[in-house]
């Protein structure tokens, strides 16, 4: 399954995009449940754009465990001051 998270920054500067991407990339290759992970920064900056996206591929039955993973939770806590809102899409 694919889990996508879109992030809107409180202050959408290139530096904050880089900081959020760096925090998300701390999970890269460190959560056994995850098959594949990708982080991307928006370059278009349109009214419809979110600033950063996270794409995670994992087995559907592991989504809850991923959400509760200690590293995942630590990263969420670390980036919380930067983020105004986030939206998700989960699909098979």
């Amino acid at each position: 399954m694919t889990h996508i998270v879109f992030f809107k920054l409180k202050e959408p500067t290139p530096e904050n995009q880089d900081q959020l991407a760096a925090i998300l990339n701390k999970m890269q290759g460190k959560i056994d449940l995850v098959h594949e992970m990708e982080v991307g920064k928006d370059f278009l900056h349109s009214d419809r754009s979110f600033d950063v996206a996270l794409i995670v591929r994992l087995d559907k039955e592991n989504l809850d465990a991923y959400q509760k993973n200690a590293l995942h939770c630590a990263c969420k806590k670390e980036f919380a001051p930067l983020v105004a809102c986030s939206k998700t899409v989960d699909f098979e």
Side-chain angles (χ1 to χ4, degrees):
M1 72 152 286
T2 301
H3 171 71
I4 302 175
V5 186
F6 299 102
F7 298 93
K8 184 72 85 172
L9 293 167
K10 291 178 183 174
E11 296 180 32
T13 65
E15 295 80 15
N16 285 344
Q17 278 184 304
D18 290 344
Q19 186 177 358
L20 177 54
I23 293 167
L24 294 170
N25 276 316
K26 288 180 181 181
M27 295 186 286
Q28 192 75 253
K30 295 183 180 153
I31 300 177
D32 291 339
L33 305 169
V34 173
H35 303 302
E36 184 180 339
M37 179 179 287
E38 183 177 358
V39 176
K41 298 179 290 185
D42 178 64
F43 63 86
L44 192 57
H45 307 294
S46 75
D47 291 340
R48 294 177 24 147
S49 295
F50 275 70
D51 302 301
V52 177
L54 170 69
I55 301 171
V56 177
R57 292 195 174 78
L58 68 162
D59 296 331
K60 185 177 179 180
E61 59 271 11
N62 291 330
L63 182 59
D64 189 52
Y66 165 74
Q67 297 285 354
K68 295 175 183 174
N69 176 276
L71 178 57
H72 178 260
C73 291
C75 288
K76 283 174 61 175
K77 187 175 181 176
E78 185 178 354
F79 69 62
L82 296 170
V83 175
C85 74
S86 64
K87 302 291 182 185
T88 65
V89 176
D90 297 286
F91 61 91
E92 295 183 277

